Amino acid sequence: MRILHTSDWHLGRAFHRVNMLDAQADFVGHLDTTVRERAVDAVVVSGDVYDRAVPPLAAVELFDDTLHRLADLGVPTVMISGNHDSARRLGVGAGLIDRAGIHLRTEPSACGTPVVIPDTFGDVAFYGLPYLEPALVKAEFEVEKAGHKAVLAAAMDRVRADLATRAPGTRSVVLAHAFVTGGEASDSERDITVGGVAAVPAGVFDGVDYVALGHLHGSQTITGRVRYSGSPLPYSFSEAEHRKSMWLVDLDADGSVTAERVDCPVPRELARIRGTLEELLDDPDLAPHEEAWVEATLTDPVRPADPMARLTERFPHTLSLVFDPERAPDDPDVSYARRLAGRSDQEIADDFVAHVRGAGPDEDEQTVLQAAFDAVRADAVVREVAP
């Protein structure tokens, strides 16, 4: 069976101030063409179909067009909801859409109920594990501690239990939206840390033939059977080095996997350039980036006059301007944002406590702080998807 694995479309998302809807429509056309030309037997979409719980109308219209195109192809499609989607909204009409061969899996309770697609060698069971927000699905999976590893392990127990009831030789594919250990994140993914932990080990998914992951925006291989497709388009300058693609996965009769990357059309190159304003304006080596979307980091010790206007004369598609004066780390003028870069909310809170009272929080206090952060984040999720 030939499977096309994609994820993280983020329909409705902009890239800085650039509307990406046309580029997203181009990707859908590319998906359609790939399915036709590469004899794809099934399409899997591993979450974050939309960029937010209540997407703009234009994004909904594009998704509606996508559903019609997928149905016209006559190729079964399995989709799950991601952490940016509203599972309830995305799942509206799933029963009717199912009849067109497009299977939306947005309910955590259905993790152990597969979409079964036959081929020449027998059945392939596709299990959809939508994004499982630990605080919201703890009761469903009867886990004592609300963490990503616990709920995903419980969901996979249901998958393996169902798979054990099926005919010998039944092959299996799991769709999941999660941060798996070994994956490399970018700036454009929403933080899903719970209890100080965001990642789960790949071993959670043992026992199935292929795991089609979503959430991280870079295409990457965790193991030969566990892969991220990445997003088809860039959504932050941290993705400047990404090769945007989908995975074309061949699942053989014995469950062995071979995979090939299929490149996606990208509307414009991304470039991150750094130096003083005069260096950026004069450096001949930067000529290849003059038509790119540019993030420019200026290292001038004093902020120059009209930097954006001057930069756009050479780089007309400059979208982001960052000031990072070159100073010694102990310079009192080093920015607050720079001092906080790369630090978690918990670490910032710990430092604040230490600054105020002269000693950081003890173990019990750290637990209280982490519980507060987790509660606020879970509440934000509930508010975002509330009807």
Side-chain angles (χ1 to χ4, degrees):
M1 180 172 288
R2 175 162 285 183
I3 302 162
L4 188 62
H5 167 199
T6 179
S7 71
D8 294 273
W9 295 356
H10 289 276
L11 300 182
R13 186 167 185 159
F15 181 71
H16 290 262
R17 60 179 179 272
V18 177
N19 187 319
M20 296 289 277
L21 205 64
D22 287 344
Q24 291 168 341
D26 288 344
F27 161 70
V28 171
H30 173 66
L31 175 73
D32 184 311
T33 300
T34 302
V35 171
R36 295 177 189 276
E37 294 184 352
R38 302 300 301 269
V40 170
D41 298 306
V43 176
V44 298
V45 186
S46 299
D48 282 352
V49 173
Y50 290 121
D51 188 55
R52 55 181 186 266
V54 185
L57 179 59
V60 177
E61 290 173 340
L62 177 56
F63 182 57
D64 180 63
D65 176 66
T66 304
L67 292 177
H68 281 85
R69 295 179 74 155
L70 289 169
D72 289 343
L73 288 170
V75 173
T77 299
V78 185
M79 295 184 176
I80 61 172
S81 50
N83 62 302
H84 280 251
D85 299 309
S86 165
R88 292 179 62 186
R89 289 187 174 90
L90 185 64
V92 169
L96 286 173
I97 296 170
D98 193 81
R99 299 180 188 178
I102 301 168
H103 310 282
L104 293 172
R105 292 295 181 262
T106 63
E107 291 293 334
S109 59
C111 285
T113 304
V115 176
V116 179
I117 302 174
D119 70 0
T120 304
F121 305 107
D123 288 342
V124 180
F126 289 77
Y127 296 90
L129 278 57
Y131 173 66
L132 302 174
E133 174 60 48
L136 303 184
V137 301
K138 177 183 176 181
E140 166 65 33
F141 292 105
E142 299 179 343
V143 296
E144 293 183 5
K145 186 175 181 180
H148 290 292
K149 181 179 179 180
V151 296
L152 273 170
M156 283 302 301
D157 284 344
R158 294 187 185 184
V159 168
R160 286 184 284 264
D162 178 84
L163 194 56
T165 68
R166 301 193 174 270
T170 298
R171 289 155 292 157
S172 54
V173 175
V174 165
L175 290 72
H177 197 86
F179 191 163
V180 175
T181 303
E184 183 176 344
S186 60
D187 293 343
S188 51
E189 298 113 7
R190 182 180 295 172
D191 180 36
I192 59 171
T193 301
V194 174
V197 178
V200 298
V204 165
F205 299 104
D206 285 351
V208 297
D209 294 308
Y210 184 71
V211 182
L213 292 174
H215 180 57
L216 300 184
H217 288 183
S219 178
Q220 47 202 298
T221 300
I222 305 301
T223 72
R225 296 183 181 275
V226 181
R227 288 183 167 89
Y228 283 99
S229 67
S231 61
L233 292 165
Y235 294 114
S236 73
F237 277 101
S238 65
E239 301 170 53
E241 301 301 320
H242 287 187
R243 173 186 163 195
K244 294 301 182 182
S245 59
M246 303 177 285
W247 284 111
L248 194 65
V249 177
D250 286 323
L251 187 62
D252 292 342
D254 62 356
S256 60
V257 170
T258 56
E260 172 192 348
R261 289 178 73 176
V262 178
D263 290 336
C264 295
V266 176
R268 194 177 293 276
E269 176 202 353
L270 270 60
R272 306 178 96 173
I273 59 178
R274 180 185 179 90
T276 66
L277 180 58
E278 296 304 325
E279 289 171 345
L280 299 186
L281 294 177
D282 296 337
D283 188 350
D285 291 340
L286 297 181
H289 303 317
E290 289 176 355
E291 293 303 316
W293 282 326
V294 168
E295 178 186 72
T297 298
L298 298 185
T299 60
D300 302 75
V302 177
R303 186 173 301 206
D306 299 321
M308 181 61 88
R310 295 175 65 189
L311 277 169
T312 53
E313 289 179 3
R314 183 180 186 189
F315 306 101
H317 304 288
T318 301
L319 300 180
S320 175
L321 188 57
V322 179
F323 294 97
D324 188 16
E326 292 184 345
R327 297 190 177 107
D330 58 352
D331 190 314
D333 290 331
V334 171
S335 73
Y336 180 69
R338 186 172 174 182
R339 294 198 303 272
L340 296 184
R343 299 180 67 76
S344 67
D345 290 341
Q346 178 83 48
E347 290 170 330
I348 294 169
D350 290 351
D351 288 350
F352 177 75
V353 172
H355 173 74
V356 170
R357 74 179 187 191
D362 59 26
E363 185 175 341
D364 290 340
E365 291 169 332
Q366 287 181 326
T367 300
V368 170
L369 283 170
Q370 188 61 67
F373 284 124
D374 290 347
V376 169
R377 195 182 59 80
D379 182 65
V381 172
V382 172
R383 289 175 182 273
E384 183 176 19
V385 302

